[in-house]
Amino acid sequence: MTRRRPTGAAVLQPAITRAITEAVLDEWAAHGYARLSMEAVAKRAGVGKSALYRRWPSKQEMAIAVISEFSVVRAVVPDTGALRTDLRETLDALMEWLTHPRFSRILPDLVAETARNPELAGVVAAMIGTPRRERATVMFRRAIERGELREDTDLELVQDLLAAPVYWRLTVRAAEAEPGYLDALADLLLRAIGAQDGEKK
């Protein structure tokens, strides 16, 4: 017997998923999380609401699934062989993430929502914060193995130091990152965390 292809709700067409994903990002950036609705997303994507509900049971699950997929893939795991160049690539990716035309408007709104909604905050931490930090941990553990960082380096604190300056400058201060900013920041971070040349240890 030949196996029949599943039909109807069993088929999740990638093109429709991409259209919905783009619609979620557009609606969230334009109107904020509070006004984000399944109806508006479906209308913008040109699909019925059933297409959304086949993928996610609620607005929150839809929104966080979309924004986590968008965010986690942008957390690079460079392996250039040296912490300085790894850091520089990581900062480039962080800058690209935070300055994305839609995400730069979504992030402040997301932060405000998580401050009001502990359940949402927990989901965001689990689906975005933790995966991104796990990727950065790989980079720093490689540096420890190469002898560029001490074995007792506090990796949680180091990761806070990595992301905080760029987030503060771009999102909180809404300031520009002038040419040379990321190079200067990479050098400052290396000094702050006590990085050494692995070959000289």
Side-chain angles (χ1 to χ4, degrees):
M1 294 179 62
T2 58
R3 181 176 296 177
R4 295 178 56 192
R5 286 177 56 85
T7 59
V11 177
L12 298 181
Q13 299 179 42
I16 292 179
T17 301
R18 286 193 296 271
I20 295 172
T21 296
E22 293 300 308
V24 170
L25 295 172
D26 286 338
E27 284 290 317
W28 195 344
H31 304 296
Y33 181 81
R35 294 176 60 193
L36 182 68
S37 70
M38 304 288 266
E39 292 82 0
V41 169
K43 182 177 180 180
R44 186 184 285 266
V47 301
K49 283 198 297 181
S50 61
L52 278 62
Y53 284 109
R54 282 199 293 269
R55 291 162 172 80
W56 309 284
S58 68
K59 178 185 96 169
Q60 176 173 303
E61 292 194 47
M62 174 187 71
I64 300 307
V66 167
I67 205 65
S68 64
E69 181 178 356
F70 172 88
S71 299
V72 174
V73 298
R74 286 168 170 76
V76 300
V77 188
D79 188 12
T80 65
L83 180 56
R84 205 278 179 191
T85 45
D86 283 352
L87 268 180
R88 191 62 180 77
E89 287 193 14
T90 300
L91 289 171
D92 277 334
L94 182 62
M95 178 72 73
E96 183 179 349
W97 180 50
L98 293 177
T99 58
H100 186 277
R102 288 177 295 185
F103 188 69
S104 62
R105 289 186 287 169
I106 290 172
L107 181 58
D109 180 71
L110 179 60
V111 171
E113 287 293 333
T114 56
R116 293 187 288 264
N117 186 336
E119 179 186 355
L120 180 63
V123 174
V124 169
M127 295 187 66
I128 301 176
T130 297
R132 286 185 61 90
R133 291 176 76 88
E134 286 175 348
R135 292 191 173 198
T137 296
V138 173
M139 174 181 69
F140 290 118
R141 291 201 182 281
R142 285 175 181 154
I144 290 173
E145 292 171 0
R146 290 192 300 262
E148 294 178 276
L149 290 177
R150 291 168 54 97
E151 291 186 2
D152 61 353
T153 298
D154 186 336
L155 297 185
E156 285 295 310
L157 180 57
V158 167
Q159 289 183 80
D160 288 343
L161 288 173
L162 172 63
V166 182
Y167 172 79
W168 185 266
R169 188 181 192 91
L170 298 179
T171 305
V172 179
R173 292 182 55 211
E176 294 289 331
E178 69 273 5
Y181 170 71
L182 294 183
D183 285 320
L185 178 57
D187 291 335
L188 180 64
L189 288 170
L190 289 172
R191 293 195 298 272
I193 63 180
Q196 303 181 45
D197 186 336
E199 295 183 357
K200 294 180 179 178
K201 281 197 66 177

